[in-house]
Amino acid sequence: MKYFDLHCDTIEELKKRGENFLNSTTQFTIQDQERFEATVQCMAVWVPDSIRGRAAVEFTDSHLAYLETLVEMIPERAVLADSASELQKGVEEGKWVFIRTIEGGAALGGDLEKIVHFAKKKIKMMTLTWNGENELGSGHNTKKGLTDFGIRVIRRMEQLRMVADVSHLNDRGFDMV
C-alpha cells in the first residue's frame, strides 16, 4: 500500500508529551512502516486559535525545531523532503518522508515578512485559517471572508511557491481566493 497524507498535526501533541515517531500513545506512529510501499506525510504545526502575535511565531518555530529533531533521531527510517527529488529519493530508500507545513496563518503573527521566514525554514504549505478568525481571514466556524492582509499573504505565498491550503477557510473566504 502507498501512503501520502496531506495533513497530520500530531507534532504539537508529540512535543507536549515529549514523545517521538516511534511511540504508540498518539494517533501517529511510524512503527508499522514496513506494511507500506511508500510513505509521505505532510506534518503540520497546528497553531491554536488562542495563540496570536509573536507567541504564534515562536510556537511555530519551536514545533518545527521539534519535528526536525525527531527526524534527525531516526535517519535510517525518516527524512525531511524539501523538493520533489528529495521526496522521490526518500521513497526509493524506503523511508518515511516528511514535508513541513503549517496549519493556521496565525503563525505569521500578523507580519507579511514572516512568510519569508517560514519559506526559509522550508515550509511548503500553510492552511490559512483554522476554525476561528485570524489576521488572514475566517475559518469555517465564522462568517467573514479573507482580510486584505490574507489576500496579500496568498499573493506572497504564491511568489515563494508555497501552497495556500484553504481547507479550513469558510465559504465566503474560499470564494475570494
Side-chain angles (χ1 to χ4, degrees), residues 107-171:
L108 302 175
D111 182 354
L112 190 63
E113 287 308 306
K114 290 299 180 227
I115 300 168
V116 174
H117 167 80
F118 288 122
K120 287 179 181 176
K121 290 185 175 276
K122 303 175 183 176
I123 294 296
K124 301 301 178 193
M125 178 170 61
M126 182 175 71
T127 307
L128 303 177
T129 61
W130 192 56
N131 291 338
E133 292 181 31
N134 65 26
E135 300 89 345
L136 284 73
S138 296
H140 71 87
N141 286 345
T142 59
K143 301 290 183 205
K144 299 175 187 172
L146 287 170
T147 65
D148 289 340
F149 178 70
I151 292 168
R152 290 194 321 268
V153 165
I154 292 170
R155 288 182 184 140
R156 188 68 176 123
M157 288 174 69
E158 288 173 347
Q159 291 170 348
L160 295 169
R161 301 180 54 91
M162 188 183 298
V163 175
D165 178 350
V166 297
S167 61
H168 284 272
L169 196 60
N170 65 15
D171 292 345

Side-chain angles (χ1 to χ4, degrees), residues 3-114:
Y3 175 88
F4 195 119
D5 185 5
L6 289 171
H7 179 81
C8 178
D9 55 18
T10 307
I11 196 67
E12 189 261 345
E13 190 63 29
L14 289 170
K15 186 174 187 290
K16 186 187 309 180
R17 296 179 189 196
E19 295 179 348
N20 61 55
F21 292 134
L22 301 176
N23 75 74
S24 60
T25 65
T26 68
Q27 295 176 1
F28 182 83
T29 180
I30 66 171
Q31 287 179 341
D32 58 355
Q33 179 179 6
E34 58 279 348
R35 72 184 184 141
F36 297 105
E37 179 183 339
T39 51
V40 180
Q41 179 67 65
C42 291
M43 186 59 74
V45 173
W46 170 67
V47 182
D49 280 337
S50 60
I51 302 177
R52 293 290 183 266
R54 183 74 199 144
V57 177
E58 292 169 357
F59 179 92
T60 307
D61 282 342
S62 72
H63 286 78
L64 286 171
Y66 195 72
L67 169 61
E68 291 168 359
T69 297
L70 295 187
V71 172
E72 289 168 1
M73 289 171 62
I74 50 172
E76 69 287 350
R77 295 187 71 178
V79 65
L80 283 161
D82 301 321
S83 66
S85 61
E86 288 178 2
L87 186 149
Q88 184 64 40
K89 182 177 184 245
V91 166
E92 289 170 359
E93 292 175 351
K95 294 182 179 182
W96 201 290
V97 180
F98 290 97
I99 300 170
R100 297 172 190 90
T101 70
I102 296 173
E103 181 179 2
L108 302 175
D111 182 354
L112 190 63
E113 287 308 306
K114 290 299 180 227

